Amino acid sequence: MLKGRIVNLRARELADAERMHRWINDREVTATLGNRYLWSLAAEEEFLRGQTSRPPSFPDQSFAIETKDGRHIGTTGLHRASPENRNAEMGIMVGEKDCWSRGYGTDALITLLRFAFGEMNLHRVELHVYADNERGIACYRKCGFVEEVCLRQFRYRNGQWIDGLEMGVLVHEFEALHGLGAKEETHA
Ligand SMILES: CC(C)(COP(=O)(O)OP(=O)(O)OC[C@H]1O[C@@H](n2cnc3c(N)ncnc32)[C@H](O)[C@@H]1OP(=O)(O)O)[C@@H](O)C(=O)NCCC(=O)NCCS
């Protein structure tokens, strides 16, 4: 388990399928995600079975996000990691909407980035975000990501084009802000 200040990251399990199925079919949750199609539970289970039945590998790491009292609230991961370029793409979904804007996403990403930079020895992590995802952009900036590229008319949704942003963070930028050592919240 990777311990953050207010969340932990753990391996994903097949038993997560029902919650993930609920989140991926919630149009409010997917409004800011690339996914637009509706998933059956069988498809979600099949997807998770594929992910959970093989050992973790350097290029693709996925985690469940849990609050400290063990509530599964979302998912995050590092994808397409390159050992030569020492970079990877990051993705995140806090699926439980009552948990939005309470700092969980930021803590999950700081924990993920500590693992990426402090354990996997990556040099750069990047992400794509839609320009109208103000909560997401605010969260990423707090983690140390900076806007690098505007991708014009990147996404079509509700009859409209929305720009995309590519954001990135380098190891020394992250370390200066958050350090590479774990900082779990301590309770007296
Ligand atoms: C994007 C997401 C990961 C962020 O996680 P989160 O736990 O909600 O975010 P946090 O609370 O850590 O940080 C969000 C920040 O945005 C701020 N915020 C919220 N709504 C905002 C808005 N409309 N404009 C500007 N800032 C906003 C919050 O106040 C908070 O900042 P603060 O801590 O300084 O007050 C999460 O909301 C989510 O998964 N959303 C749905 C799926 C998604 O968009 N995934 C990412 C796709 S790129």
Side-chain angles (χ1 to χ4, degrees), residues 14 17 21 24-25 38-50:
L14 199 49
H21 173 249
I24 207 69
N25 286 303
L38 303 181
W39 282 57
S40 68
L41 181 58
E44 184 63 52
E45 284 173 343
E46 191 58 29
F47 172 71
L48 268 182
R49 194 171 289 114

Side-chain angles (χ1 to χ4, degrees), residues 29 32-33 92-94 99-106 128-129 133-136 138-140 142:
V29 174
T32 48
L33 288 170
I92 184 166
M93 169 176 66
V94 175
C99 292
W100 286 355
S101 292
R102 292 171 58 186
Y104 292 121
T106 301
H128 285 119
V129 60
N133 188 355
E134 292 170 341
R135 182 187 295 109
C139 167
Y140 303 145
K142 285 192 291 176

